[in-house]
Amino acid sequence: MNNIRNLTDDLYYIGVSDRKIALFENVYPVKDGMSYNSYFLNDDKTVLFDTVDKSCSGQFFDNLDAVLNSRTLDYLVINHLEPDHSALIKDVIQKFPNLKIVCNQKAKQMLYQFFEFENDIEDNFHIVKEGDSIVVGKHTLTFYMAPMVHWPEAMVTYDSFNKTLFSADAFGSFGAINGNIFDLEVDFIERVSEYRRYYSNIVGKYGMQVNMLLNKAKNLDIKMICPLHGLVIKDNIGLLLNKYELWANYTPERDSVLILYASVYGGTQNAVEILAGELSKLGVKNIKMHDVSHINSSFVISDIFEYSKIVFASTTYNNSIFVKMENIINDVIHHNIQNRKIAIIENGSWACCCGDLIRDSLSKLKNITFIEGKINIKSSLKKSQKEDIENLAKELV
Ligand code: FEO
């Protein structure tokens, strides 16, 4: 049975939600599932915007058959070739051998990387470049390249009739669609944290490229955003654009302290608990603390995009940084975090070295201010070090 939704008179949502998936991209926990969004435009020509993940093929083709209603498919627009959106392209082409595949040259090259075609499909391609348009009836579709948001072939499509932006991975979120397809049908503010976690982990590394896309979007009159994951955005376009501008420029949203700690026998934890209390006494609100052994790093990356000041507190392990903290630090570096104030607390019962190693690693990031004079703990914090913790709290505020 099909499960399609009208977005306008002639634009349909034909995407699918996956509620069995545990790890999106085999790395990001998605306890609320994941949606793979696909859209269908029913004009003089019929247009499909992207497909869905292979795991959802049954529902997708039921939906596609329903919206086509015995018409043929004229155009398949490939905004993004990552397999969560492209897995069914080969099946679509086999079903509609005369359709035109609208994509850029890079997407065409990647299509041949992911698929082997039994038939020659060279004549099916309609290759587009920046600013090219196709007219499909009353709708005109214009294509804008969005390289590295999130893969090099990514592009977005603007429909000037509906003033709709098909935004590929941009403006997406983790989480399945629970019946409510539009942002105005949910408490959107509650969802922002998952938009942040999605953005920071999926495209957070590519702030410069996201800024290029935002500059293009500023020249378009956008009334609706149709991303490849998550809700269709109508009411919160301004809010999301503002968030993206902050995130793309690595500008903290919250002036507060995020404490990340790795503790084996509690000595390091004791120190950061005391630090958090001192921060609170000084008036810092919304202090957040994570034991890095018990949290998936995607949540930490998301919080680092939000918070202005980060404390890294770790024990020394195998003559290095405790492995869980080392993993987090590597992830932070890979996501290109910038513009943060950082404090370091190190612990070691002998040959303590992790503080300097943490600082060396994080020094690769741009515009980082380190609070000088790391706190060194030998196994457990001593009463004589209480003043050091108080001073660190003062430095942080
Ligand atoms: Fe949802 Fe980059 O794919």
Side-chain angles (χ1 to χ4, degrees):
M1 176 70 187
N2 72 73
N3 182 20
I4 60 178
R5 296 288 299 273
N6 270 87
L7 302 182
T8 68
D9 287 348
D10 53 8
L11 178 65
Y12 298 81
Y13 177 84
I14 64 167
V16 182
S17 283
D18 182 352
R19 296 172 198 282
K20 290 183 179 170
I21 186 171
L23 295 175
F24 177 65
E25 292 189 357
N26 216 12
V27 61
Y28 306 115
V30 281
K31 71 175 176 50
D32 297 323
M34 197 71 199
S35 76
Y36 306 108
N37 298 348
S38 173
Y39 303 92
F40 176 80
L41 185 61
N42 195 25
D43 204 342
D44 293 346
K45 300 290 186 184
T46 56
V47 185
L48 173 64
F49 298 91
D50 298 287
T51 70
V52 302
D53 190 78
K54 204 170 191 64
S55 60
C56 304
S57 63
Q59 182 71 74
F60 172 76
F61 280 110
D62 281 353
N63 291 351
L64 182 59
D65 287 345
V67 286
L68 278 168
N69 195 18
S70 300
R71 294 185 71 186
T72 191
L73 182 61
D74 297 307
Y75 290 106
L76 164 63
V77 174
I78 304 175
N79 283 312
H80 187 18
L81 202 93
E82 191 164 5
D84 51 332
H85 313 292
S86 70
L88 303 181
I89 286 178
K90 182 175 177 180
D91 301 289
V92 170
I93 294 170
Q94 280 172 347
K95 201 170 157 82
F96 303 101
N98 295 319
L99 76 77
K100 282 291 176 199
I101 306 164
V102 182
C103 67
N104 57 48
Q105 189 63 37
K106 188 74 184 169
K108 177 183 173 184
Q109 174 200 325
M110 294 179 90
L111 189 64
Y112 282 125
Q113 285 176 207
F114 277 97
F115 298 101
E116 286 193 288
F117 294 91
E118 287 73 36
N119 302 319
D120 184 351
I121 61 163
E122 275 296 301
D123 289 343
N124 292 81
F125 286 102
H126 178 99
I127 299 298
V128 294
K129 301 185 297 300
E130 178 76 15
D132 285 353
S133 296
I134 60 171
V135 179
V136 295
K138 63 186 182 189
H139 296 263
T140 298
L141 306 175
T142 305
F143 308 99
Y144 299 96
M145 303 303 117
M148 301 319 296
V149 188
H150 138 236
W151 277 15
E153 88 304 345
M155 68 177 194
V156 300
T157 302
Y158 180 68
D159 177 349
S160 53
F161 183 81
N162 283 344
K163 302 189 188 315
T164 296
L165 184 70
F166 298 90
S167 62
D169 273 348
F171 309 114
S173 175
F174 298 125
I177 300 286
N178 300 323
N180 300 126
I181 184 78
F182 291 109
D183 60 336
L184 55 162
E185 299 170 335
V186 305
D187 185 343
F188 192 74
I189 297 299
E190 280 182 7
R191 309 279 185 111
V192 168
S193 60
E194 279 297 79
Y195 278 81
R196 183 186 301 105
R197 187 166 72 96
Y198 172 89
Y199 172 89
S200 56
N201 285 280
I202 302 291
V203 288
K205 181 181 180 70
Y206 304 110
M208 188 181 76
Q209 292 86 344
V210 173
N211 265 324
M212 288 165 65
L213 177 60
L214 291 175
N215 285 335
K216 293 177 187 182
K218 278 177 193 157
N219 295 324
L220 301 173
D221 182 12
I222 301 170
K223 300 286 187 232
M224 181 162 70
I225 297 177
C226 292
L228 286 175
H229 301 288
L231 299 162
V232 173
I233 308 293
K234 285 173 92 171
D235 262 20
N236 293 284
I237 292 172
L239 183 152
L240 217 41
L241 285 171
N242 286 340
K243 290 288 183 194
Y244 263 59
E245 200 160 321
L246 291 175
W247 297 337
N249 290 297
Y250 306 95
T251 304
E253 295 167 84
R254 191 187 285 282
D255 186 18
S256 184
V257 182
L258 171 68
I259 300 173
L260 308 173
Y261 73 92
S263 188
V264 178
Y265 292 109
T268 310
Q269 180 182 347
N270 176 244
V272 294
E273 299 278 10
I274 293 167
L275 173 64
E278 292 301 324
L279 288 166
S280 181
K281 285 184 212 166
L282 291 171
V284 180
K285 295 188 168 59
N286 296 303
I287 301 160
K288 200 163 191 181
M289 198 176 327
H290 292 304
D291 178 343
V292 297
S293 292
H294 295 282
I295 189 163
N296 179 278
S297 69
S298 68
F299 294 94
V300 176
I301 294 297
S302 183
D303 285 342
I304 289 180
F305 267 76
E306 183 178 5
Y307 277 71
S308 59
K309 297 157 187 169
I310 325 290
V311 177
F312 290 85
S314 180
T315 188
T316 300
Y317 207 77
N318 286 331
N319 206 27
S320 185
I321 307 166
F322 186 73
V323 60
K324 297 285 189 178
M325 181 62 85
E326 191 170 37
N327 290 345
I328 293 279
I329 287 169
N330 285 337
D331 220 9
V332 169
I333 293 164
H334 293 155
H335 284 85
N336 206 16
I337 310 289
Q338 301 171 26
N339 308 323
R340 297 299 190 271
K341 187 179 241 189
I342 287 177
I344 296 169
I345 298 175
E346 65 175 359
N347 195 347
S349 296
W350 70 96
C352 182
C353 64
C354 67
D356 288 345
L357 294 172
I358 291 171
R359 179 162 179 156
D360 284 351
S361 298
L362 294 174
S363 295
K364 295 171 189 156
L365 300 172
K366 288 184 193 158
N367 296 327
I368 297 295
T369 305
F370 289 98
I371 291 179
E372 292 303 329
K374 65 178 187 280
I375 290 189
N376 175 276
I377 302 168
K378 287 194 169 39
S379 306
S380 64
L381 195 72
K382 306 299 180 296
K383 289 191 187 81
S384 60
Q385 291 182 289
K386 181 78 189 308
E387 194 179 338
D388 294 340
I389 294 282
E390 289 167 355
N391 288 338
L392 177 58
K394 285 178 195 155
E395 291 274 350
L396 278 164
V397 299

